[in-house]
C-alpha cells in the first residue's frame, strides 16, 4: 500500500475519524496510535475505518508500547494477537516493540531477529538518540539493520525535536543508506527531509506528543498538567509555532505578503486569524493548516519525475531560506533547519549549470 514518498498523518485513535478525510490524498495515509493505551480501541477504530468508512489509503497501526511511564523494554516479546489482527485487517504488520535504550544492543538485535520470523513484518525501532548521534552506536545499528534485512520504522526519543540534536540528521541519512526500506514515525517537518533522502514513508504527528517520543520522566516526576497550547506551521520559517507567537510576530513585522495564507483552511487570511479562537477551538484548524502546508511542500519537493538528489538539494536550500527568515523576524533559528541545511554538498561539489 505504501508507494514510496508517502507523507502520513500520525494521530491517536480518538482523532482518526477526523483525520481520515485529510489522509485520502495520493501518497498519503494514516498512522494511528492508541488513545490512553487502549489497544483494543485502536484495533476497533481501524476496523471501522476500513469496513464502514471504506478508507483505502495506507493505514498503519502503532501499538506504542515503547511510550509512557510504563513503557516496555526492547526485550519484551511481541504480542501474537497484535500481529494477527493487523494481518486479518489486511494491514502492514508493525511490531509492537519496546524501547531500545542506549545500552541495549541485545534488545535491538532481539527486535530485528524476531521480526525476521514474521513474514511481511516491519520492525518498529523506538530508539534512544545515541543510536544516531554516537558513531559506535550508529555503526552497530546500521550493521544490524543490514544483517536483518527487514523493513524498519524508526521512532526517536527526545524532549523536543530529535532532529534538533547534533548528529541525528546525518545518523538518519546513514540508516537510510542501508538499502533497507525505512519509515519514520512521530516526526514533524523532518519527515520531508527523510522523504527527500529516500525514506519509504514518514509520518507527521497531529500534536506535539506525536511528533517525537518523550523521554520517561525521572522517578517521582509528573508530566505538566493539561494539554499544551496548539502550534501550527509557519511556512516561511518551516517550523511549528504557537498561534500566540505567530500573532506577536505579525504585529512586529506587518508585511501582508509574509503572513497571508491561501491554504484551504485559511482562505487568504493572515495566519494569526486563529488567535481569535478559543484555545481548544484552535487545535483542529491548526492541524488542518499544518497538513495543507506539509502536503503542498511534499508535492513541490517530490513531484512526479523529481529525482531524489534534486529533492534533497531543494530541501536543504529551503531549510537555509527558512533559517534566514527566522533571523529576519528575530526568532531563534530552529536547530533542525541548521542540521538539514548542512546536508547540502559544498558548492564545489555541485555540477555546473549547462
Amino acid at each position: 500500500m505504501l508507494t514510496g514518498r508517502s507523507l502520513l498523518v500520525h494521530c491517536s485513535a480518538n482523532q482518526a475519524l477526523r483525520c481520515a478525510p485529510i489522509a485520502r490524498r495520493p501518497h498519503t495515509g494514516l498512522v494511528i496510535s492508541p488513545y490512553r493505551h487502549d489497544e483494543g480501541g485502536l484495533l476497533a477504530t481501524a476496523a471501522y475505518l476500513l469496513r464502514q468508512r471504506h478508507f483505502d489509503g495506507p493505514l498503519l497501526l502503532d501499538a506504542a508500547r515503547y511510550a509512557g511511564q510504563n513503557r516496555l523494554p526492547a526485550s519484551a516479546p511481541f504480542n501474537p494477537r497484535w500481529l494477527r489482527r493487523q494481518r486479518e485487517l489486511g494491514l502492514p504488520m508493525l511490531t509492537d516493540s519496546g524501547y531500545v535504550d542506549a545500552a541495549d544492543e541485545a534488545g535491538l538485535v532481539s527486535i530485528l531477529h524476531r521480526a525476521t520470523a514474521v513474514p511481511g513484518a516491519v520492525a518498529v525501532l523506538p530508539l534512544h538518540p545515541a543510536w544516531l548521534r554516537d558513531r559506535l552506536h550508529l555503526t552497530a545499528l546500521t550493521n544490524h539493520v543490514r544483517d536483518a534485512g527487514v523493513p524498519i520504522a524508526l521512532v526517536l526519543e527526545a524532549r523536543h525535536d530529535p532532529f534538533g540534536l547534533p548528529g541525528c540528521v546525518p545518523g538518519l541519512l546513514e540508516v537510510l543508506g542501508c538499502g533497507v526500506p525505512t519509515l519514520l514515525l512521530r516526526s514533524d517537518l523532518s519527515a520531508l527531509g527523510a522523504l527527500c533522502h529516500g525514506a519509504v514513508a514518514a509520518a507527521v504527528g497531529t500534536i506535539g506528543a506525536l511528533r517525537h517520543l518523550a523521554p520517561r520522566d525521572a522517578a517521582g516526576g509528573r508530566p505538566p498538567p493539561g494539554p499544551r497550547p496548539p502550534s501550527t506551521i509557519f511556512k516561511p520559517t518551516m517550523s511549528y509555532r504557537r498561534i500566540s507567537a505567530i500573532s506577536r510576530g505579525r504585529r512586529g513585522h506587518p508585511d501582508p505578503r509574509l503572513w497571508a495564507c491561501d491554504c484551504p483552511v485559511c482562505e487568504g487570511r493572515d495566519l494569526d486569524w486563529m488567535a481569535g479562537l478559543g484555545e481548544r477551538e484552535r487545535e483542529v484548524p491548526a492541524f488542518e493548516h499544518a497538513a495543507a502546508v506539509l502536503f503542498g511542500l511534499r508535492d513541490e519537493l517530490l513531484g512526479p519525475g523529481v529525482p531524489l538528489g534534486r529533492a534533497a538539494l531543494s530541501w536543504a536550500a529551503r531549510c537555509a531560506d527558512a533559517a534566514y527568515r527566522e533571523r529576519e523576524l528575530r526568532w531563534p533559528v530552529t536547530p533542525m533547519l541548521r542540521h538539514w541545511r548542512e546536508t547540502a554538498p559544498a558548492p564545489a561539489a555541485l555540477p555546473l549549470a549547462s
Side-chain angles (χ1 to χ4, degrees), residues 54-79:
H54 307 292
F55 185 79
D56 57 0
L59 177 60
L60 306 176
L61 304 184
D62 170 30
R65 297 204 301 167
Y66 53 77
Q69 291 291 323
N70 299 314
R71 65 187 181 191
L72 296 180
S75 58
F78 301 154
N79 183 343

Side-chain angles (χ1 to χ4, degrees), residues 177-265:
C178 285
V180 170
T182 300
L183 294 74
L184 178 65
L185 307 183
R186 288 189 182 237
S187 188
D188 60 14
L189 278 93
S190 287
L192 294 170
L195 293 178
C196 289
H197 284 269
V200 172
V204 178
T206 54
I207 58 175
L210 291 172
R211 291 197 282 270
H212 63 281
L213 170 60
R216 184 164 55 186
D217 291 333
R222 293 180 179 273
R228 299 181 64 184
S231 300
T232 196
I233 294 175
F234 183 51
K235 185 178 179 180
T237 64
M238 291 207 307
S239 59
Y240 277 89
R241 299 284 172 178
R242 292 186 181 179
I243 307 300
S244 56
I246 293 172
S247 184
R248 289 193 300 272
R250 178 174 172 269
R251 291 196 298 270
H253 297 79
D255 182 347
R257 295 170 298 178
L258 186 63
W259 305 99
C261 176
D262 59 359
C263 82
V265 181

Side-chain angles (χ1 to χ4, degrees), residues 133-150:
R133 302 181 67 193
D134 176 77
R135 170 48 55 186
L136 291 178
H137 282 76
L138 181 59
T139 299
L141 172 64
T142 52
N143 286 340
H144 291 311
V145 165
R146 287 192 190 96
D147 290 346
V150 296

